[in-house]
């Protein structure tokens, strides 16, 4: 619903009637009866009225008003018909009037509106009131002639016996009389008009399938600029040229330069691709057409191509402008590889898009910006120079980028002075812009839940845990035996990770369930990394097996709690052997080619490009890596068994341990290493 509203306002003057002690009685009623249509009746005790009508009806409200008027007309017709019928039933006949005049009962007869009679009796007998009874006369003769024809003598009609008064006809009599005949005609005309509009609307809806559903945003009042986008400074620099071209196109045309016709934004979900495209439009101050790739395709053949043509026609009419296609992989996937063959609706839509992008002239000043997180499945013709010839990658932000993003999202929110955004950015590696926005929102919700007026550091730290691990499930009841098993399981993870120098430091240990897990050991790197070394991956294998090995050492039995740990260990070990070349036995080779359906976008199988003998070696090598990690884990937990017991007992007491509390029980045996391979000095 838009901001414009239709308001019927009736307001009186400031007249104060006597007898109210100078006080003004005020009564306001607001009656809402449609989208954007309000009736406001404000009436004060007064004698003067002021009518003000503001009518800005949208098409939806117009239909409502027409329907309302038809209903009013129908009700008026019914009421008038019933009233007329009741009047006819209760009125006197002309014969009864003549009889009463002969009997001397009638005092006065008033002729109204030519044919309507009001008979006033002398004594009010015979069920008639002193106000008179209603009657009608014939239209082709006078009342006196009709009474004389019925046997009334002239003496009985004299002034001394009966007073006959003739009133002039009212101005509204003809209007009301004509309304009885006009209202049915108007009612039928309104019904026919309504039916015609409905049929016309259905026809227009059927013909509008081929129209573009892109939403246009004017660039006069931008809501998003580059100041609202943080953590992607390199990407903003790439798009600054696009903004400059839209502002000063002649600067490039005079030099014979060609601005990229299309810019492809690539990055994981939540990195700000759509937000960055809106910022480009806001900076340039030009119209912005936004549409999703899935909106081009319908069940009807040719609709997608028609919508592409209509979209580009609109863009040319509003040049210079920006056309943003979100999730372009919905229509831009590689051709000839679908389940339905090489000729389907998506291909026709893609072909039309390719043709339209080639048809742009150098002076069109229309730039296409598309976003996707699957650039690997796009058609090569879409990525060639002259179409989407510039690719801007939005990666996960680093620590400085995360801090800048947090500063953007905390604007307008009350923060405590002790809030350290740099610490929050350091503790959120791998977070994208959407995750950080959710983090700040969760922190605000937690502060409101605790009846605080501002957001503090504890709320934001807890929000990180909620985003990563889910909310706590403190209400779940578990037995003391299971609680003890969970405590030793999580303590096993923490002790192993703390004992290996290349492993990430432990940040928090808890035996309070979160999500599907009964307990959690949270460890995170100190800084951002792009590369992962072999030693660090082996340390991760050992840390994942710490829970299972702790169960074996303490309880002489195992549980199902390590199922997810074993699954992750197997995946990491197999990836090290088949994808990363980290096995001396298998060498520097990649084994297996992944297959996926282009239009499904998921891996459905792995093509084995190796023999059965190689498969046995791969399985054997994966098993060896897991066994080596298991032996390392068992050796460490046996060595630090006393620390394992101490950590588990402390968890049973307090349920949750922070990094400082954990390291107070078990200080790291050796300083932590980054895990990055170091340069080996050459011998002499």
């Amino acid at each position: 619903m838009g901001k414009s509203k239709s308001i019927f306002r009736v307001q009186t003057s400031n007249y104060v009637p006597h007898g109210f002690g100078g006080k003004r009685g005020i009564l306001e009623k607001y009656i809402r009866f449609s989208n954007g249509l309000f009736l406001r009746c404000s009436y004060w005790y007064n004698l003067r009225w002021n009518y003000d009508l503001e009518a800005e009806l949208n098409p939806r409200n117009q239909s409502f008003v027409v329907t309302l008027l038809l209903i009013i007309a129908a009700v008026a017709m019914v009421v008038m018909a019933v009233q007329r019928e009741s009047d006819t039933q209760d009125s006197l006949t002309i014969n009864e009037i003549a009889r009463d005049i002969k009997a001397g009962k009638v005092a006065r007869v008033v002729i109204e509106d030519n044919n309507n009679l009001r008979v006033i009796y002398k004594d009010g007998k015979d069920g008639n009131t002193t106000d008179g009874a209603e009657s009608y006369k014939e239209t082709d003769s006078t009342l006196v002639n009709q009474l004389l024809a019925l046997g009334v003598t002239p003496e009985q009609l004299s002034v001394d016996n009966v007073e006959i008064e003739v009133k002039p006809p009212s101005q509204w009599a003809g209007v009301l009389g004509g309304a009885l005949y006009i209202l049915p005609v108007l009612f039928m005309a309104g019904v026919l008009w309504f039916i015609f509009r409905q049929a016309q609307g259905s026809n227009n809806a059927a013909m509008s399938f081929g129209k573009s559903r892109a939403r246009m945003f004017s660039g006069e009042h931008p809501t998003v600029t580059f100041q609202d986008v943080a953590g992607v400074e390199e990407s903003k620099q790439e798009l600054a040229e696009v903004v400059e071209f839209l502002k000063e196109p002649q600067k490039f045309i005079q030099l014979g330069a060609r601005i990229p016709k299309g810019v492809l934004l690539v990055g994981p979900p939540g990195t700000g691709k759509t937000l960055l495209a809106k910022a480009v439009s806001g900076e340039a101050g030009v119209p912005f057409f936004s549409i999703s790739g899935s909106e081009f395709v319908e069940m009807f053949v040719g609709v997608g191509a028609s919508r592409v043509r209509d979209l580009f026609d609109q863009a040319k009419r509003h040049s210079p402008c920006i056309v943003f296609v979100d999730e372009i992989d919905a229509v831009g996937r590689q051709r000839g590889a679908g389940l339905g063959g090489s000729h389907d609706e998506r291909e026709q839509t893609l072909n039309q898009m390719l043709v339209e992008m080639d048809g742009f002239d150098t002076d069109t000043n229309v730039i296409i910006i598309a976003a996707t997180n699957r650039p690997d499945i796009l058609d090569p013709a879409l990525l060639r120079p002259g179409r989407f010839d510039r690719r801007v990658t939005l990666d996960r932000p680093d620590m400085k980028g995360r801090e800048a993003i947090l500063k953007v999202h905390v604007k307008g929110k009350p923060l405590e002075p002790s809030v350290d955004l740099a610490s929050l950015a350091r503790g959120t590696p791998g977070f994208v812009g959407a995750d950080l926005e959710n983090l700040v929102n969760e922190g605000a919700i937690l502060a409101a839940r605790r009846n605080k007026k501002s957001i503090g550091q504890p709320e934001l730290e807890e929000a990180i845990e909620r985003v990563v691990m889910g909310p706590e499930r403190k209400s779940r009841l578990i037995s003391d035996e299971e609680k003890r098993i969970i405590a030793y399981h999580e303590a096993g993870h923490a002790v192993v990770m703390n004992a290996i120098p290349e492993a990430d430091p432990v940040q928090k240990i808890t035996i309070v369930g979160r999500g599907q897990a009964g307990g959690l050991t949270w460890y995170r790197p100190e800084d951002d990394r792009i590369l992962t070394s072999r030693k660090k991956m082996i340390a991760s294998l050992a840390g994942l097996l710490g829970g299972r090995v702790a169960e074996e050492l303490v309880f002489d039995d195992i549980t199902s709690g390590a199922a997810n740990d074993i699954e992750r260990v197997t995946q990491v070990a197999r990836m090290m052997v088949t994808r990363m070349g980290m096995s001396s036995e298998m060498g520097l080779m990649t084994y297996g080619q992944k297959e996926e359906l282009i239009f499904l976008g998921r891996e459905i199988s792995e093509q084995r490009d190796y023999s059965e003998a190689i498969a046995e070696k791969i399985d054997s090598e994966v098993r060896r890596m897991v066994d080596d990690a298991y032996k390392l884990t068992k050796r460490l937990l046996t060595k630090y068994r006393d620390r394992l017991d101490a950590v588990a007992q402390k968890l049973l007491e307090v349920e949750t341990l922070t990094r400082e509390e954990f390291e107070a029980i078990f200080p790291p045996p050796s300083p932590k290493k980054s895990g990055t391979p170091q340069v080996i000095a050459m011998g002499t």
Side-chain angles (χ1 to χ4, degrees):
M1 184 176 67
K3 294 182 178 179
S4 62
K5 301 176 181 178
S6 303
I7 301 176
F8 296 88
R9 184 172 61 245
V10 181
Q11 184 175 350
T12 66
S13 64
N14 297 335
Y15 175 79
V16 182
H18 297 287
F20 286 84
K23 297 182 180 179
R24 183 182 303 139
I26 302 175
L27 178 61
E28 293 189 15
K29 294 182 179 180
Y30 295 87
I31 306 171
R32 178 173 182 176
F33 59 91
S34 174
N35 268 344
L37 184 62
F38 293 85
L39 177 64
R40 177 185 179 188
C41 303
S42 304
Y43 47 96
W44 299 349
Y45 302 100
N46 66 358
L47 299 178
R48 302 189 302 273
W49 296 84
N50 179 28
Y51 299 91
D52 185 15
L53 176 64
E54 301 175 0
E56 299 178 2
L57 301 179
N58 54 36
R60 185 176 180 180
N61 291 334
Q62 289 179 4
S63 301
F64 172 80
V65 172
V66 172
T67 306
L68 183 63
L69 293 177
L70 292 177
I71 295 174
I72 293 174
V75 172
M77 290 173 55
V78 173
V79 171
M80 295 178 68
V82 172
Q83 184 177 3
R84 187 172 183 179
E85 182 67 22
S86 62
D87 293 342
T88 303
Q89 293 177 356
D90 298 336
S91 62
L92 299 174
T93 63
I94 194 70
N95 293 327
E96 293 174 340
I97 296 175
R99 181 196 64 191
D100 294 338
I101 291 175
K102 293 177 183 178
K105 299 178 180 180
V106 179
R108 186 160 59 100
V109 179
V110 181
I111 303 175
E112 301 173 341
D113 298 331
N114 295 326
N115 297 320
N116 298 332
L117 304 177
R118 185 162 56 92
V119 183
I120 300 174
Y121 289 82
K122 296 178 180 180
D123 52 5
K125 296 179 178 180
D126 299 330
N128 299 313
T129 64
T130 57
D131 293 334
E134 299 293 333
S135 184
Y136 303 92
K137 74 177 185 65
E138 298 180 2
T139 59
D140 54 351
S141 65
T142 63
L143 175 63
V144 175
N145 293 334
Q146 295 179 25
L147 294 176
L148 293 175
L150 294 174
V152 181
T153 62
E155 290 79 8
Q156 294 173 340
L157 295 177
S158 63
V159 180
D160 297 335
N161 295 324
V162 179
E163 180 183 356
I164 298 177
E165 180 183 356
V166 180
K167 289 186 176 182
S170 175
Q171 298 179 355
W172 296 98
V175 176
L176 295 177
L180 294 175
Y181 301 97
I182 295 176
L183 279 178
V185 177
L186 293 178
F187 179 74
M188 295 302 300
V191 171
L192 294 176
W193 179 85
F194 185 77
I195 295 174
F196 177 76
R197 277 294 297 269
Q198 291 295 323
Q200 187 180 13
S202 302
N203 187 32
N204 293 335
M207 298 302 295
S208 64
F209 270 107
K211 299 296 183 180
S212 173
R213 299 185 179 181
R215 294 161 294 280
M216 178 180 174
F217 302 93
S218 172
E220 298 178 356
H221 304 286
T223 58
V224 181
T225 61
F226 280 160
Q227 295 180 356
D228 302 316
V229 184
V232 287
E233 302 301 326
E234 293 82 3
S235 302
K236 290 195 294 185
Q237 293 177 3
E238 290 286 335
L239 294 175
E241 297 180 2
V242 176
V243 175
E244 189 176 1
F245 172 77
L246 292 173
K247 289 183 176 180
E248 302 177 5
Q250 296 298 327
K251 176 181 177 181
F252 296 87
I253 296 176
Q254 291 176 358
L255 297 175
R258 179 182 61 84
I259 199 70
K261 295 183 178 180
V263 180
L264 184 63
L265 304 179
V266 180
T271 52
K273 299 183 292 295
T274 305
L275 185 65
L276 188 58
K278 292 182 179 180
V280 173
S281 173
E283 289 288 337
V286 297
F288 181 81
F289 293 88
S290 177
I291 192 172
S292 175
S294 60
E295 297 183 40
F296 287 111
V297 182
E298 293 279 357
M299 64 179 294
F300 302 101
V301 178
V303 171
S306 176
R307 290 179 178 177
V308 171
R309 289 191 296 270
D310 184 70
L311 172 62
F312 281 83
D313 289 340
Q314 294 183 35
K316 293 175 182 178
R317 290 194 299 268
H318 293 85
S319 174
C321 66
I322 294 175
V323 177
F324 176 65
V325 183
D326 200 6
E327 305 295 342
I328 195 174
D329 51 275
V331 295
R333 303 193 181 203
Q334 186 175 349
R335 292 171 291 181
L339 296 175
S342 62
H343 188 82
D344 61 357
E345 180 65 13
R346 286 185 177 88
E347 286 197 6
Q348 304 307 313
T349 306
L350 176 58
N351 291 335
Q352 187 64 43
M353 185 176 294
L354 297 176
V355 172
E356 293 291 341
M357 294 187 69
D358 278 341
F360 279 165
D361 299 327
T362 56
D363 57 348
T364 304
N365 297 344
V366 177
I367 295 179
I368 311 299
I369 301 179
T372 181
N373 53 5
R374 295 294 307 276
D376 54 315
I377 64 175
L378 295 180
D379 194 274
L382 199 63
L383 303 176
R384 74 160 176 81
R387 290 178 178 140
F388 287 105
D389 44 9
R390 176 169 294 190
R391 180 181 298 188
V392 178
T393 302
L394 283 78
D395 204 354
R396 299 181 183 275
D398 55 8
M399 187 176 67
K400 292 184 179 179
R402 293 193 298 270
E403 184 178 357
I405 294 173
L406 287 173
K407 290 180 180 179
V408 172
H409 290 305
V410 299
K411 288 182 179 178
K413 294 181 174 60
L415 296 181
E416 294 181 356
S418 60
V419 172
D420 187 6
L421 297 181
S423 176
L424 296 174
R426 192 180 305 107
T428 53
F431 276 42
V432 296
D435 297 329
L436 297 173
E437 190 275 336
N438 189 30
L439 184 154
V440 176
N441 185 63
E442 288 289 341
I445 294 174
L446 289 173
R449 187 181 301 171
R450 298 169 182 175
N451 297 322
K452 298 179 63 176
K453 300 298 183 181
S454 58
I455 307 171
Q457 188 78 11
E459 286 78 23
L460 294 174
E461 292 284 352
E462 186 174 348
I464 297 176
E465 301 174 6
R466 292 176 64 89
V467 172
V468 175
M469 300 179 291
E472 293 182 344
R473 297 187 299 166
K474 294 184 178 181
S475 60
R476 187 179 63 175
L477 298 177
I478 58 176
S479 62
D480 294 338
E481 292 80 5
E482 288 188 348
K483 190 174 182 180
R484 189 164 180 262
I485 294 174
I486 296 174
Y488 272 98
H489 184 101
E490 301 303 330
H493 288 304
V495 169
V496 174
M497 296 295 292
N498 199 34
I500 302 177
E502 291 81 10
D504 294 328
V506 178
Q507 300 296 326
K508 190 173 185 178
I509 317 168
T510 180
I511 59 175
V512 179
R514 287 182 178 268
Q516 300 296 325
L520 288 170
T521 300
W522 186 23
Y523 46 88
R524 63 188 183 192
E526 294 288 345
D527 50 7
D528 297 327
R529 297 191 187 94
I530 301 176
L531 304 176
T532 304
S533 64
R534 184 174 181 272
K535 291 182 179 180
K536 196 168 192 63
M537 298 187 74
I538 293 175
S540 298
L541 295 177
L544 290 171
L545 294 175
R548 167 59 61 89
V549 177
E551 293 179 8
E552 293 181 1
L553 292 177
V554 178
F555 302 100
D556 195 22
D557 198 358
I558 57 177
T559 66
S560 60
N564 182 256
D565 298 331
I566 296 174
E567 181 180 357
R568 293 167 59 188
V569 165
T570 306
Q571 292 177 353
V572 173
R574 185 168 292 276
M575 188 178 297
M576 293 173 64
V577 175
T578 61
R579 292 281 178 260
M580 301 179 181
M582 293 185 176
S583 172
S584 57
E585 180 68 22
M586 303 307 302
L588 304 178
M589 292 183 63
T590 300
Y591 299 93
Q593 299 294 329
K594 296 180 180 179
E595 291 184 352
E596 65 181 24
L597 292 177
I598 299 298
F599 283 90
L600 293 182
R602 289 188 176 271
E603 302 172 5
I604 60 174
S605 65
E606 184 179 27
Q607 181 182 357
R608 294 181 56 176
D609 53 358
Y610 48 86
S611 63
E612 291 294 333
I614 297 297
E616 292 182 3
K617 290 184 178 181
I618 292 175
D619 295 339
S620 176
E621 189 67 10
V622 172
R623 176 66 180 269
R624 184 189 64 81
M625 281 191 172
V626 175
D627 290 343
D628 291 344
Y630 174 82
K631 295 176 182 178
L632 174 61
T633 303
K634 192 171 185 178
R635 185 171 66 252
L636 291 174
L637 289 180
T638 303
K639 180 179 180 181
Y640 300 106
R641 172 63 188 273
D642 56 340
R643 306 296 185 180
L644 175 66
D645 295 334
V647 174
Q649 292 299 326
K650 192 66 174 178
L651 283 174
L652 291 173
E653 295 176 5
V654 300
E655 294 186 340
T656 301
L657 292 176
T658 62
R659 178 177 180 178
E660 291 77 13
E661 295 172 343
F662 169 68
E663 292 184 353
I665 301 173
F666 181 32
S670 57
K672 288 291 182 180
K673 300 179 180 179
S674 63
T676 305
Q678 302 297 319
V679 178
I680 301 176
M682 299 290 294
T684 55

